[in-house]
Amino acid sequence: MNDQTPTKAEREARLQGMGCKRKRVEDIRFTQGRGNYVDDIKLPGMLFGDFYRSPYPHARIKKLDTSRAKALPGVRAVLTAADLKPLNLHYMPTLAGDVQAVLADEKVLFQNQEVAFVIADDRYIAADAIELIDCEYEELPVLVDPSKALLPDAPILREDIVDKMVGAHGPRRHANHIFNWQVGEKDGTDEAFASAPVTVKETFYYHRTHPSPLETCQALASMDKIKGELTLYGTFQAPHVIRTVVSLISGLPEHKIHVIAPDIGGGFGNKVGAYAGYVCAVVGSIVLGKPVKWVEDRMENLSTTSFARDYHMTTELAATQDGKILAMRCYVLADHGAFDACADPSKWPAGFMNICTGSYDIPVAHLEVDGVYTNKASGGVAYRCSFRVTEAVYAIERAVEVLAQKLGMDSADLRVKNFIRRDQFPYHAALGWEYDSGDYHFAMEKAMTAVDYRGLRTEQAAKREAFKRGETREIMGIGVSFFTEIVGAGPSKNCDILGIGMFDSCEIRIHPTGSVIARMGTKSQGQGHETTYAQILATELGIPADDIMIEEGNTDTAPYGLGTYGSRSTPTAGAATAMAARKIRAKAQMIAAHLLEVHHNDLEWDVDGFQVKGLPEKRKSMKEIAWASYNQPIPNLEPGLEAVNYYDPPNMTYPFGAYFCVMDIDVDTGVFKVRRFYALDDCGTRINPMIIEGQVHGGLTEAFAVSMGQEIRYDAMGNVMGASFMDFFLPTAVETPHWETDFTETPSPHHPIGAKGVGESPHVGGVPCFSNAVNDAFSFLGTTHINMPHDAWRMWEMAEKLGLHAQANAAA
Amino acid sequence: MIPGRFEYHRPKSLPEAVALLAKLGEDARPLAGGHSLIPMMKLRMATPEHLVDLAGIADLKGIRHEGGRIVIGAMTTQAELIASADLSAALPILKETALLIADPQVRYVGTLGGNVANGDPGNDMPAVMMALDATYQLAGEKGAREVAAREFYQGAYFTALEPGEMLAAISIPVPPAGHGAAYEKLKRKIGDYATAAAAVVLTKADGRIATCAIALTNVGDTPLLAEEAAHILTGTSADAASLARAIAAAEAITEPATDGRGTAAYRTKMAGIMLERALARALARAAG
């Protein structure tokens, strides 16, 4: 070799493969305002649709008159349930096996429910026309409190299914009951509790909030009546599923439906389900033969499409006196709103809530969830988490704190004592999951050392004494959380959406010059897929990431996949990417053997090509092999170089992490300061450390928002409160704490590249960490649990309740 | 979030604007920075048929001295208040307050006149103007008149402005050198209105409070002048007992709503704490 020959390390660096902090290629267009979002798409003759919505949370529609609106110049149509009924489109199926009104049929069930859809020449005319719709209502008793939903005299909400006493998930015991779901050993758990030396019980309310992506939900439907084809652009996290749903409910053959998800400005679970706006845009385009666009505004987004959480979780732990957990029991009352539109895999009415035994070796457990209807918007989506995993982790991570407090033990020590040990993996949890890999003790020790945990506790003890002496009005809280996520849904044996297994896919084509296009069934909403998938391919194919184009979101060209949510892209499509690349490499090896005139077993892979074993100068690069695959006949091989893989994962992946938060709270104002936040994440093999860090920053920021202020609240009359950014807490750079990130790396044993997924971990682990910090701050004053959101006034109220203000006044 | 139809007017002079407002009557609203009015229009809570944009009127801008007073044109932006070295020297509380309003982008467009004339109890400048005993110079078809800030606010979004009348300038008596002033605001995040806020302007002589004015933001339908609290403090050495009595007197006049910022009880207490902090800073700043 002469001096010009790049070294192996140089060739590897040139690939920008796995492990490289490659800059996000999509940011070139995003940072210059050159993204292409649904609302950027303008089709000739395009019309605009907008909803007239109910001002009442529960009312019968006595009269709905759209004639004045229709008479306004520029209005093309006004759709109501009466128009959709003959098409059987006034209801649509939900992902949870329920149906949801597209336009209110005879009664409204939540404030801001869609009642009529106005289609006009522009948005201004549509908005004016909405004012001209005359609707008379008869108000009905409102059901806001889910704990009253199943009372005998509760108002009945869903008259459309009142006689259907068996729902999608089994028997319903009341007209307002959706399902009862139980997992685990009830009797064994009860026995363990009956004989346990120590038990604790606490109800944690995980409040209703919303994913609130920057871009709201939107769609643009264009029906070509000549060709009988529908093109539907939309903010779809799962475009293929949308195509199938549209085919099923519209009757249009699936091959004549082109669903395109262009750039998406954040999803966080908000854009998984199907919404009335999508259906109405499609119907409008079919009826009028013109493109119809629907764009949600911010208040509509926050108050109608897909809330998250709203779980009342009564959680119990049984333990020995020295802190060994013996059993867990959890009862959840789940407020699903007016329709069960949770976006969960079909067989999981409460998602993966049964991951609630957390990171601990708990011998026996039982989980029971009752889902109920209330007069609120429907949803229950996985907001930056796998299905109901944030709720599950919150329940266990609060419960271990409550137990530690009762035992007088340090909560970090209690966790360590109960961790699943490294040698127990794969670990079979009491509620059914098989955890793939982990080293919790190592991660926790690293984190505790990094934050000087013992030093913090010493400082806290001193501060508490100073507080008692009246020398400070601040209390210090140390938040600890150790979470295990369950992501990458999922194996088709137990995960499907509308009967379609939750595999995912990748199709790779290598062009003659050695550059690549690869398409996936997933859909980035900001995760950076165009960057990271290319890095997996670069390493697997020996082709520089810069020569690889990643394309998603066009159902005509991309292979079928189930989309992006629940941190599933890397565990599923990321695996498919590696597997498809390996098929290509196997063929490339045969081509190289032909070119080098050796047996393929005499070749070995070397960064970016094949070389003859022991003769590194005899080699063929992938670029040369790609050319050869198009340029000459290779005996016994088809021309070209492409492959497709549909990957059905054998198991979920289980990322984990250890988080610590240090917070100071001014008891006189409730104003808090996050002094420090440390996050150690283990997401298995790390594809792009910079993107991981960005994901962790984003997830922590959303965790901060949710735990410290963000909520969708209803008043006693059923009015939705705070559905605008005036009140809905979105922290700016000023409020957001500084994040310290760290990692350990425990690859998944069953994933082709060992990667586990990371986008949601920081949210899942972050929420209990903040909440634990607040609860820890107050705990020395005798509290056991304070519900989120922990905004300033609620913390002040707690201080008031504890007599801290009267005390100070007396001292003064 | 799309406003109804309206006609847009952009007069070039104050007389032209006044004439337009008189002609168009109650269906017209003057438009300053628009940060209050335009969101209300988007929600269709305000539905003016005519908007009279004051941005093209040069006479409504600028900061000038007139005798012992500083006169600020109604269309002067918050950013211009912050940037004025003259104002920072003579009335530092204005810069301090402007910096607590919204965010830099809003402050480049939002005006002092819009902030004080809209009658929104959440706006910050009205309380400061009451504490400074400023006077609003109004222009209308029937001629110019002056109304004291302390007399201007009648209810939420209700002010002494007559139909067709508009605010032209704000005239502030320059407090004596050595005065102490402060504005303390508690808010949930950048860009938020106050949970509660307090403005204090005082002077000291021989270690005692010689004059004192206090006003509160967003804890009632209007900004509140806390006269009793100021009266309690005047003549005292700002001892702990007097401070506590003054704060209790200020809290007693609040009538905040329970909303996303907190319960009424919380907001009342926060008004007291903001006042406590504003007094401490104003006292530290005052000479004598």
Side-chain angles (χ1 to χ4, degrees), chain B residues 18-103:
Chain B
V18 167
L20 258 175
L21 287 169
K23 186 181 105 191
L24 299 170
E26 294 201 19
D27 295 332
R29 289 285 299 272
L31 176 69
H35 280 103
S36 300
L37 180 56
I38 290 175
M40 298 284 274
M41 289 171 62
K42 286 180 163 187
L43 293 169
R44 299 198 177 211
M45 291 165 77
T47 51
E49 288 177 22
H50 299 272
L51 277 188
V52 180
D53 187 351
L54 308 178
I57 305 172
D59 288 351
L60 290 178
K61 277 194 164 276
I63 301 161
R64 58 186 189 275
H65 283 269
E66 276 181 15
R69 303 179 79 90
I70 284 185
V71 179
I72 304 173
M75 288 298 286
T76 308
T77 65
Q78 309 291 353
E80 286 161 349
L81 298 185
I82 293 165
S84 163
D86 193 16
L87 211 53
S88 291
L91 281 166
I93 191 176
L94 290 196
K95 178 176 180 177
E96 179 172 306
T97 305
L99 281 168
L100 293 169
I101 295 172
D103 52 57

Side-chain angles (χ1 to χ4, degrees), chain A residues 128 666 669 727 730 735, chain B residues 44 188-190 266 273 277:
Chain A
D128 288 345
D666 175 347
T669 58
D727 284 307
L730 276 197
E735 291 82 37
Chain B
R44 299 198 177 211
R188 294 171 296 181
K189 61 175 273 191
I190 286 294
Y266 173 68
I273 288 179
R277 292 179 183 179

Side-chain angles (χ1 to χ4, degrees), chain A residues 559-733:
Chain A
Y560 204 104
L562 275 284
T564 293
Y565 41 85
S567 283
R568 67 185 299 278
S569 297
T570 298
T572 59
T577 302
M579 300 302 272
R582 287 171 195 182
K583 286 186 193 175
I584 286 181
R585 213 157 91 180
K587 183 173 177 182
Q589 187 167 1
M590 306 301 287
I591 297 169
H594 172 75
L595 298 174
L596 292 163
E597 298 178 343
V598 294
H599 190 274
H600 62 267
N601 285 342
D602 292 331
L603 293 176
E604 61 185 3
W605 177 252
D606 175 57
V607 183
D608 52 5
F610 285 98
Q611 64 190 26
V612 178
K613 287 175 185 165
L615 290 171
E617 67 278 14
K618 281 200 74 176
R619 71 188 313 277
K620 287 288 169 191
S621 70
M622 278 300 286
K623 204 175 162 82
E624 293 169 299
I625 294 166
W627 182 254
S629 74
Y630 287 90
N631 149 277
Q632 53 185 283
I634 315 278
N636 304 319
L637 288 178
E638 290 175 25
L641 200 51
E642 50 184 83
V644 60
N645 179 267
Y646 283 75
Y647 187 82
D648 187 5
N651 191 4
M652 310 282 183
T653 60
Y654 297 79
F656 60 92
Y659 290 2
F660 287 85
C661 172
V662 186
M663 189 186 289
D664 298 304
I665 301 162
D666 175 347
V667 297
D668 291 328
T669 58
V671 171
F672 55 89
K673 235 193 194 110
V674 177
R675 200 198 306 169
R676 194 165 180 197
F677 198 102
Y678 167 92
L680 178 148
D681 275 279
D682 192 319
C683 59
T685 303
R686 291 157 59 84
I687 298 164
N688 182 326
M690 187 197 70
I691 284 189
I692 291 171
E693 201 180 12
Q695 287 274 34
V696 173
H697 283 199
L700 290 176
T701 304
E702 283 182 320
F704 172 67
V706 167
S707 48
M708 304 312 289
Q710 197 174 81
E711 69 171 327
I712 297 289
R713 200 162 49 86
Y714 285 81
D715 70 10
M717 316 286 288
N719 298 304
V720 59
M721 311 298 283
S724 86
F725 282 165
M726 173 76 84
D727 284 307
F728 190 80
F729 178 50
L730 276 197
T732 71

Side-chain angles (χ1 to χ4, degrees), chain A residues 235-249:
Chain A
T235 46
F236 306 137
Q237 291 183 231
H240 283 97
V241 178
I242 292 288
R243 188 185 69 192
T244 303
V245 170
V246 171
S247 178
L248 290 173
I249 68 174

